[in-house]
């Protein structure tokens, strides 16, 4: 699936995104999750933090009231998307669904 170093080809990335409908590619994997409340946004951020620590892979993250903006790239792979990013996005998607967050990737700046 991946080239050397775990970097994905564009075809592999497109195939992976078919399984991650709440994510888009924009110089990395990006999405925005909208939660019912600000408190639930903080719960989602805590869940993302736990995933990041478990996987030793940390996203760029911003919080704005009831929205959480996320971007995954592998800095150790020259800022490219790797299999680690796909796995992390999948785990975050599951956590977000568990708290009732809705993916709104179209709200990510520039998408």
């Amino acid at each position: 699936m991946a080239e050397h170093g775990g970097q994905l080809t564009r075809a592999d990335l497109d195939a992976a995104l078919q399984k991650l409908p709440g994510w888009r590619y924009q110089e990395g994997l990006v999405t925005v999750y909208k939660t019912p409340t600000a408190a639930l946004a903080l719960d989602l951020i805590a869940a993302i933090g736990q995933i990041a620590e478990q996987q030793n892979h940390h996203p760029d993250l911003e919080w704005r009231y009831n929205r959480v903006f996320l971007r995954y790239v592998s800095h150790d792979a020259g800022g490219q998307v790797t299999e680690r990013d796909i796995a992390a996005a999948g785990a975050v998607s599951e956590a977000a669904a568990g708290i009732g967050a809705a993916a709104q990737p179209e709200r990510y700046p520039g998408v």
Side-chain angles (χ1 to χ4, degrees), residues 14-91:
D14 290 341
L17 284 169
Q18 292 297 313
K19 298 175 185 173
L20 294 169
W23 294 79
R24 302 286 182 265
Y25 176 78
Q26 182 184 324
E27 297 183 24
L29 293 181
V30 300
T31 196
V32 176
Y33 282 107
K34 181 181 180 186
T35 60
T37 66
L40 284 172
L42 290 171
D43 288 346
L44 178 57
I45 291 168
I48 293 166
Q50 288 179 338
I51 291 165
E53 288 299 303
Q54 290 167 354
Q55 295 183 350
N56 193 29
H57 193 52
H58 302 80
D60 297 328
L61 182 147
E62 289 184 40
W63 169 47
R64 297 181 194 145
Y65 180 60
N66 66 338
R67 287 191 173 84
V68 179
F69 294 70
L70 291 165
R71 179 175 175 263
Y72 275 103
V73 295
S74 293
H75 299 286
D76 59 350
Q80 300 298 311
V81 175
T82 66
E83 292 171 350
R84 289 178 12 169
D85 301 303
I86 299 299

